Amino acid sequence: DGGITQSPKYLFRKEGQNVTLSCEQNLNHDAMYWYRQDPGQGLRLIYYSQIVNDFQKGDIAEGYSVSREKKESFPLTVTSAQKNPTAFYLCASRPRGDSNQPQHFGDGTRLSIL
Amino acid sequence: AQSVAQPEDQVNVAEGNPLTVKCTYSVSGNPYLFWYVQYPNRGLQFLLKYITGDNLVKGSYGFEAEFNKSQTSFHLKKPSALVSDSALYFCAVRDVGSARQLTFGSGTQLTVLP
């Protein structure tokens, strides 16, 4: 079955540490997205990529970095510059082209501070 | 600019009764509108979308939504609620022709009481 796989499901970060969240899709989608979800705030866009080797900042990119070396993969690094990283992180993908197509989501990674 | 509002953080309804989850939006041009559902510790699942055409849109699991351009609303409805419908519901909007990505509402927690 096609889908989006996020790993790990739970992740703990120490002070001053960078951590990387994995997102892999086998849907052959061109566009991929990273969102942060906090209680009562909905989803906020961190970064997105519409094609391999290209990505753009979303609304809350500070303290995060991404890469898009392969179509299937869009890892997110939460750097030590992100002072409040505790949240639920969701990866999504969508076929490129007409933006009326819905996004498909992974099951998320919950990041906490040790 | 584009924005979306879900005025109710929580909606409670008895099983078998009709349910409505409210959503209003603001865009400069024409909207693409989406509803998603999220179960605990899972990603979002697509329910339905409005692109153009009929104002009443039918989606998954018996849900439907009514697009009202004059009231800039896109309320989610179901004629008879099930306990299994209890979940977090998100409305999302994109301004057609805009470079902006999808904007999500803050979510409405639906609880269906047996």
Side-chain angles (χ1 to χ4, degrees), chain A residues 15-65:
Chain A
E15 292 288 338
Q17 185 181 43
N18 293 351
V19 292
T20 297
L21 284 60
S22 171
C23 177
E24 303 278 333
Q25 55 100 359
N26 59 6
L27 298 167
N28 199 34
H29 287 171
D30 287 292
M32 297 187 74
Y33 305 82
W34 273 106
Y35 293 94
R36 171 178 171 140
Q37 184 178 12
D38 295 281
Q41 293 194 44
L43 276 66
R44 293 182 289 169
L45 183 63
I46 305 172
Y47 269 98
Y48 64 101
S49 168
Q50 307 229 52
I51 198 167
V52 175
N53 292 322
D54 186 47
F55 50 82
Q56 284 77 42
K57 293 182 179 179
D59 299 319
I60 56 164
E62 186 174 349
Y64 300 97
S65 65

Side-chain angles (χ1 to χ4, degrees), chain B residues 17-20 61-64 76-82 84-85:
Chain B
N17 283 1
L19 69 86
T20 298
Y61 313 118
F63 284 93
E64 57 190 27
L76 182 70
K77 299 181 179 184
K78 188 174 182 182
S80 179
L82 300 172
S84 57
D85 292 329

Side-chain angles (χ1 to χ4, degrees), chain B residues 27-73:
Chain B
V27 295
S28 302
N30 292 316
Y32 288 153
L33 291 154
F34 302 83
W35 274 103
Y36 289 86
V37 61
Q38 184 182 34
Y39 297 97
N41 294 311
R42 301 295 301 275
L44 276 65
Q45 296 177 32
F46 168 71
L47 281 178
L48 51 79
K49 67 180 180 182
Y50 172 81
I51 303 302
T52 186
D54 283 344
N55 290 341
L56 186 63
V57 178
K58 294 190 182 296
S60 306
Y61 313 118
F63 284 93
E64 57 190 27
E66 186 168 11
F67 172 67
N68 187 318
K69 188 171 184 177
S70 63
Q71 297 186 5
T72 62
S73 67

Side-chain angles (χ1 to χ4, degrees), chain A residues 9-10 33 35 37 40-45 48 50 59 88 90 94 98-108 110, chain B residues 9 32 34 36 38 41-46 49 51 88 90 94-107:
Chain A
K9 194 167 181 65
Y10 299 95
Y33 305 82
Y35 293 94
Q37 184 178 12
Q41 293 194 44
L43 276 66
R44 293 182 289 169
L45 183 63
Y48 64 101
Q50 307 229 52
D59 299 319
F88 191 49
L90 288 164
R94 186 178 62 80
D98 201 334
S99 59
N100 66 22
Q101 294 301 310
Q103 294 181 13
H104 297 247
F105 285 81
D107 277 340
R110 190 166 297 279
Chain B
D9 292 335
Y32 288 153
F34 302 83
Y36 289 86
Q38 184 182 34
N41 294 311
R42 301 295 301 275
L44 276 65
Q45 296 177 32
F46 168 71
K49 67 180 180 182
I51 303 302
L88 187 57
F90 289 98
R94 178 166 181 174
D95 193 338
V96 178
S98 164
R100 281 198 59 95
Q101 300 301 307
L102 205 58
T103 296
F104 285 84
S106 56

